[in-house]
Amino acid sequence: MSVGPRTRTLLKTTTPARRLDIAASFEALTQAGVTTGDGVAKAELVSDSPNHLWSLPTSRALAIVHPDLDEAGALIRGAQFLRQHQVPVTSPRYTDVRTSAEGRAVTFWQDPGKPSTDTSLSAWVTALTHRTDPRTAPWLREHDPFAGLLDGLGDAPLNEASRSFLRDHAAQLREEWDYLDWPTPDTVILGALGMAPCHDDGVHVGLLLRRPLTRGHREWDLVAARWRSELLIGPREDHRTYADTYLSYEREGQPLDHPYIGAWSGYQVVRDIVVLTAVMDTVRRAYLDANLRQEAAHRVTCLRGAHPAPWNWGLR
């Protein structure tokens, strides 16, 4: 594999299962690069969740290897849609999806620059997305956080008690979700598990989509942003900046009826679904190596109440 030094180091130190997964992803990338002319030599694996994100330094581009064709097409369509509505978002280099012989889908994107730590940028692009009329995108799927949520649970390296807990927890949250009283109407949402990932190349600032857009309620994005920043990895000041910026751009005539998202009556239900989704993202990948197996088991333990909030996801 002609990959960059960081990825070569990873391949030497990771488990056979994860090595095969990365190799299959790189093979799909290589096949796609032949058809586009993009150089994939020295490609570096930036992230492998929720999909494989590769940096292509020789082409000044990014590539995403997707698990299926539908997701890849939806991601391109969503980025084009947001750009049409003046939302700053990274552009796809090509309007079509490339597929490998094994059925993996690959999309190529302009290099968006370095990830930004400015939470106001995330709030800005999120607010602009929420101001977009969903009627202009009838092709958007309805946001259903339970669709595929427990996929892979039966084969995950967890004990049966943990599997039963996750099934029961998801069923309880599904019932509570069905009775939520949403204070705002449907809109276009990012459906993320945290703040929207913004990048800055020194000239432009933009959102890098990693999940397809959906039609849902903006409270999902706001709860996810608050949970990730305030209760998990960031100081309260980060979310205060985020919230103040978002409120300054919120949709005219449809203001939030609570001073902050945590004061909304449905906050805890949505937060718990976001948390469960994050846990299941780790559980599905737990077969790849021992560290992920340990992390998945630890997160389930946290979810069962062994650690009080703020969530102690780390193993140290």
Side-chain angles (χ1 to χ4, degrees), residues 52-192:
H52 283 208
L53 178 65
W54 293 86
S55 171
L56 309 179
T58 59
S59 298
R60 297 180 60 83
L62 293 176
I64 301 178
V65 180
H66 306 261
D68 63 74
L69 185 64
D70 288 343
E71 179 197 276
L75 208 64
I76 288 179
R77 195 172 189 178
Q80 292 173 323
F81 171 76
L82 289 182
R83 290 190 69 83
Q84 291 170 0
H85 288 81
Q86 285 72 55
V87 179
V89 62
T90 300
S91 299
R93 297 191 76 168
Y94 314 106
T95 58
D96 56 342
V97 178
R98 312 300 163 117
T99 55
S100 69
E102 294 74 26
R104 298 200 184 202
V106 184
T107 56
F108 291 85
W109 303 81
Q110 304 293 343
D111 187 351
K114 296 180 180 180
S116 173
T117 58
D118 186 348
T119 59
S120 65
L121 296 178
S122 178
W124 174 51
V125 298
T126 301
L128 293 179
T129 300
H130 290 174
R131 294 180 71 170
T132 305
D133 189 344
R135 292 174 295 183
T136 61
W139 44 268
L140 282 176
R141 291 183 178 180
E142 183 177 357
H143 179 233
D144 179 5
F146 295 92
L149 177 61
L150 298 182
D151 285 357
L153 179 58
D155 298 324
L158 296 174
N159 58 44
E160 189 54 41
S162 293
R163 293 195 191 97
S164 296
F165 166 77
L166 290 172
R167 293 189 188 101
D168 292 345
H169 190 52
Q172 177 185 348
L173 290 175
R174 171 88 245 193
E175 184 176 351
E176 294 175 352
W177 169 269
D178 289 339
Y179 286 95
L180 277 177
D181 182 17
W182 297 100
T184 59
D186 279 2
T187 190
V188 179
I189 67 169
L190 299 170

Side-chain angles (χ1 to χ4, degrees), residues 2-20:
S2 178
V3 292
R6 293 194 302 277
T7 305
R8 283 201 302 273
T9 299
L10 174 63
L11 290 169
K12 291 177 182 177
T13 59
T14 193
T15 60
R18 194 176 185 202
R19 193 177 302 125
L20 287 173

Side-chain angles (χ1 to χ4, degrees), residues 194-268:
M195 289 187 182
C198 288
H199 293 247
D200 187 350
D201 63 6
V203 179
H204 303 290
V205 173
L207 163 70
L208 177 64
L209 281 181
R210 295 288 300 275
R211 299 174 185 267
L213 300 174
T214 55
R215 177 174 55 83
H217 297 277
R218 55 181 168 153
E219 284 76 17
W220 175 276
D221 288 343
L222 298 180
V223 170
R226 181 178 188 266
W227 177 73
R228 292 286 297 186
S229 66
E230 185 172 335
L231 299 182
L232 182 60
I233 58 176
R236 292 176 181 269
E237 290 74 15
D238 285 352
H239 187 264
R240 188 174 300 114
T241 300
Y242 179 97
D244 290 346
T245 303
Y246 180 86
L247 290 173
S248 69
Y249 283 96
E250 69 176 336
R251 293 175 66 170
E252 295 179 5
Q254 297 177 346
L256 294 173
D257 62 355
H258 34 267
Y260 63 98
I261 192 62
W264 173 46
S265 61
Y267 169 77
Q268 184 171 336

